[in-house]
Amino acid sequence: MLRYIGIISVSFLLTCCSGKEDQSESIGFIDSMKLFESFTMKVEYDKILENDLLAETVALDSLSTLINSTTDDQMLTKLKREYQVADQLMNNKFEQYSMKYTKLVTARLDEYIKEFAKDKKLDIVFSGNNGTVLFVEESNDFTEEMITYANKKFEE
């Protein structure tokens, strides 16, 4: 609920304080999840990650097959421990690569969103998924003015 109030407040503030006559052309939104998932760079990194983890996946599958076919309790215990260690190593590698790739993709998309917004003459771009502001033209940054206003009101 607070998120929507914030979005409405920002939109109202921009409408009231901007000298532009047609605000509808200066505000837009992007479905950031769809953009992220459909971005070619992200899709390519997904393939690289899948290939990098292929050996670990095959090893886990082999261990799983051995676990399911083993009747010796000692061997079963040993194989289960090996599986847990291998699974943890693969998960750690996945997390490490995933974070690295996500950071690279997000940084690139941030650049492209800025360029796109400027090309489209957008002053503000919201994420359609969660209302996050993806881009704001610096002339629409009222942060310092708002701090002064809030502090003044608080002191009254």
Side-chain angles (χ1 to χ4, degrees):
M1 181 67 167
L2 290 175
R3 180 178 75 208
Y4 297 112
I5 292 170
I7 293 169
I8 291 168
S9 299
V10 170
S11 298
F12 178 75
L13 190 59
L14 288 172
T15 303
C16 291
C17 299
S18 177
K20 293 184 180 183
E21 291 180 22
D22 185 8
Q23 274 298 311
S24 64
E25 292 181 358
S26 63
I27 298 174
F29 85 95
I30 294 172
D31 182 334
S32 55
M33 291 303 292
K34 184 175 180 181
L35 171 63
F36 184 79
E37 291 298 323
S38 302
F39 185 39
T40 303
M41 182 180 180
K42 192 260 187 204
V43 173
E44 288 176 2
Y45 279 151
D46 282 350
K47 290 177 187 172
I48 292 169
L49 181 57
E50 186 178 324
N51 287 334
D52 286 348
L53 295 175
L54 186 60
E56 285 87 350
T57 303
V58 169
L60 282 173
D61 287 346
S62 295
L63 282 170
S64 182
T65 301
L66 287 172
I67 288 169
N68 291 328
S69 64
T70 300
T71 56
D72 181 3
D73 287 341
Q74 265 189 318
M75 182 59 94
L76 185 60
T77 303
K78 180 184 175 207
L79 288 172
K80 283 183 178 181
R81 270 191 249 127
E82 282 182 41
Y83 184 90
Q84 289 174 337
V85 169
D87 187 49
Q88 186 61 47
L89 288 173
M90 187 179 87
N91 287 332
N92 290 344
K93 186 175 181 179
F94 173 81
E95 286 297 321
Q96 182 182 18
Y97 280 43
S98 182
M99 285 175 38
K100 174 185 169 186
Y101 292 151
T102 298
K103 187 175 180 179
L104 291 170
V105 169
T106 302
R108 183 71 60 89
L109 278 174
D110 286 346
E111 289 175 34
Y112 293 164
I113 288 168
K114 253 183 212 178
E115 289 174 19
F116 180 82
K118 288 181 185 279
D119 288 348
K120 292 288 189 181
K121 296 180 177 34
L122 296 169
D123 292 326
I124 188 167
V125 176
F126 290 101
S127 166
N129 303 91
N130 58 13
T132 302
V133 176
L134 300 175
F135 171 80
V136 175
E137 182 60 45
E138 287 181 29
S139 64
N140 288 323
D141 184 352
F142 295 99
T143 306
E144 293 302 319
E145 194 175 333
M146 184 63 209
I147 291 169
T148 303
Y149 176 83
N151 288 335
K152 182 180 175 186
K153 292 296 273 182
F154 177 74
E155 291 171 9
E156 289 179 354

